[in-house]
Amino acid sequence: MFGYSMEEVGNIVVMQGFSGLSLFSVLLLMALGLAIIFGQMGVINMAHGEFMAVGAYTTVFLSKIAVSYDIVNSYFVFAIVAAFILAFFIGYFIEFLLIRHLYKRPLDTLLATWGLSLVMQQIFRSTFGAKEVSAELPEWLLGSFKPTEDIDIPINGVFVMGLALIVTVGVYLFMYRSRWGLRVRATMQNRVMAGAVGINTKKVDRLTFALGCGIAGVAGAAFTTIASTGPTTGSLYIVDSFMVVVFGGAASLMGTIASAFGIAQAQSILQFFMTSSMGKVATLMTIVIILMMRPEGLFASKVRK
């Protein structure tokens, strides 16, 4: 096949499949935050990728401090927490300043957050420069291990997958096994009734939007382990993130996971046997065809009538 032996094709598929798992992990982290903001709240946040960039630049900044104080091997976990906190509070501020005025007006949220994304990109460009920058990774994230003689699995990819798993479990417990998650779902399903039973819907809105932004910050910290960061890095992932959420089912956690996995694997494997652009086109066309047959996505949320 394509000039390769069957054994070589098998190794290529395994390697590209694992590369797809790394992309899957970043897409999943991005889509988890977007599933909360778009799927639960109905806000089309075109600046979601820039909150990922906030997390990435936070990690890069802290890595430079870690290098100067010779603590590179111990800073990264703290950087992930810092990325979440900073993106969370910026999201909290943005919701108070802008988003709270635009609920139930999806087109307005799209335009407003698109403008916000341009502003944030310019801030990144003015603060960190137009060139891409990379974080200094700790030694325990470098290198790879070899399950077979011909297959190398990078340690940083395994770490990102583990981080995505932890965050996914955390989001599930928060949304479906906590009183606050119950308040969030009640507010998004029937805001008037939720307010009537004593739920502070404005507080729920603000913290939920901030949580989605914070998770995007974690995605940015994870992203620094596999690629460099630039002012427009986040915008490169926003389309794929929306595609994951819509394809999986806007309010479905399981759909988000399945969709992120399928899209990441398809893009990674197809891009090896085709050009990068043709691999994306083939993936997109497949998604469009499936959505034509199943507009609600892979996992439609059940709503009582």
Side-chain angles (χ1 to χ4, degrees):
M1 182 183 292
F2 303 101
Y4 297 100
S5 68
M6 290 303 296
E7 182 180 357
E8 289 174 328
V9 170
N11 289 335
I12 289 169
V13 170
V14 171
M15 292 294 291
Q16 290 299 115
F18 192 84
S19 175
L21 288 177
S22 299
L23 175 61
F24 155 70
S25 301
V26 174
L27 272 182
L28 178 59
L29 288 169
M30 281 282 288
L32 284 173
L34 198 60
I36 293 173
I37 294 174
F38 176 60
Q40 293 289 341
M41 303 180 68
V43 174
I44 304 175
N45 183 17
M46 294 300 294
H48 194 71
E50 278 58 51
F51 286 97
M52 170 185 162
V54 167
Y57 276 119
T58 300
T59 306
V60 170
F61 176 74
L62 290 177
S63 76
K64 293 180 179 180
I65 296 177
V67 168
S68 64
Y69 286 95
D70 196 24
I71 53 172
V72 174
N73 286 332
S74 56
Y75 88 94
F76 197 77
V77 174
F78 172 76
I80 294 173
V81 177
F84 173 83
I85 293 173
L86 183 59
F88 179 93
F89 280 109
I90 293 175
Y92 189 93
F93 174 74
I94 293 298
E95 198 282 338
F96 175 78
L97 190 68
L98 179 67
I99 303 300
R100 69 189 177 103
H101 303 290
L102 302 175
Y103 289 119
K104 304 297 183 182
R105 295 157 59 188
L107 183 59
D108 290 345
T109 62
L110 186 152
L111 293 173
T113 54
W114 178 66
L116 175 64
S117 71
L118 297 180
V119 171
M120 294 178 73
Q121 287 177 24
Q122 188 56 47
I123 292 173
F124 298 148
R125 194 172 286 108
S126 300
T127 306
F128 299 99
K131 294 183 179 179
E132 293 188 346
V133 292
S134 300
E136 189 73 27
L137 298 180
E139 290 183 3
W140 50 270
L141 275 179
L142 302 177
S144 62
F145 60 91
K146 298 172 69 73
T148 69
E149 186 176 344
D150 298 319
I151 298 176
D152 284 315
I153 296 180
I155 295 174
N156 59 349
V158 176
F159 174 81
V160 173
M161 283 190 290
L163 178 63
L165 176 62
I166 292 171
V167 174
T168 302
V169 172
V171 169
Y172 172 78
L173 294 175
F174 175 81
M175 291 299 297
Y176 298 101
R177 291 292 183 270
S178 72
R179 292 181 63 84
W180 186 262
L182 183 62
R183 292 173 184 172
V184 171
R185 288 181 287 123
T187 300
M188 302 317 155
Q189 289 182 17
N190 193 322
R191 183 177 299 274
V192 175
M193 186 62 71
V197 298
I199 296 175
N200 187 338
T201 57
K202 291 183 178 180
K203 183 178 180 182
V204 167
D205 290 336
R206 199 154 299 146
L207 290 178
T208 303
F209 185 86
L211 175 65
C213 295
I215 295 173
V218 173
F223 179 79
T224 61
T225 67
I226 60 176
S228 55
T229 304
T232 59
T233 294
S235 63
L236 301 178
Y237 282 84
I238 187 64
V239 174
D240 284 347
S241 299
F242 270 106
M243 198 159 55
V244 166
V245 174
V246 173
F247 183 49
S252 171
L253 179 61
M254 185 60 66
T256 299
I257 297 171
S259 177
F261 180 81
I263 290 172
Q265 289 297 329
Q267 287 188 4
S268 181
I269 294 174
L270 288 175
Q271 285 176 15
F272 185 85
F273 296 107
M274 305 177 181
T275 63
S276 177
S277 58
M278 286 304 298
K280 282 184 173 292
V281 168
T283 304
L284 180 59
M285 288 300 297
T286 303
I287 291 172
V288 169
I289 292 171
I290 294 174
L291 286 177
M292 288 173 66
M293 296 184 292
R294 192 176 175 84
E296 69 275 13
L298 294 178
F299 294 79
S301 59
K302 295 180 181 179
V303 180
R304 291 182 181 178
K305 294 183 180 181

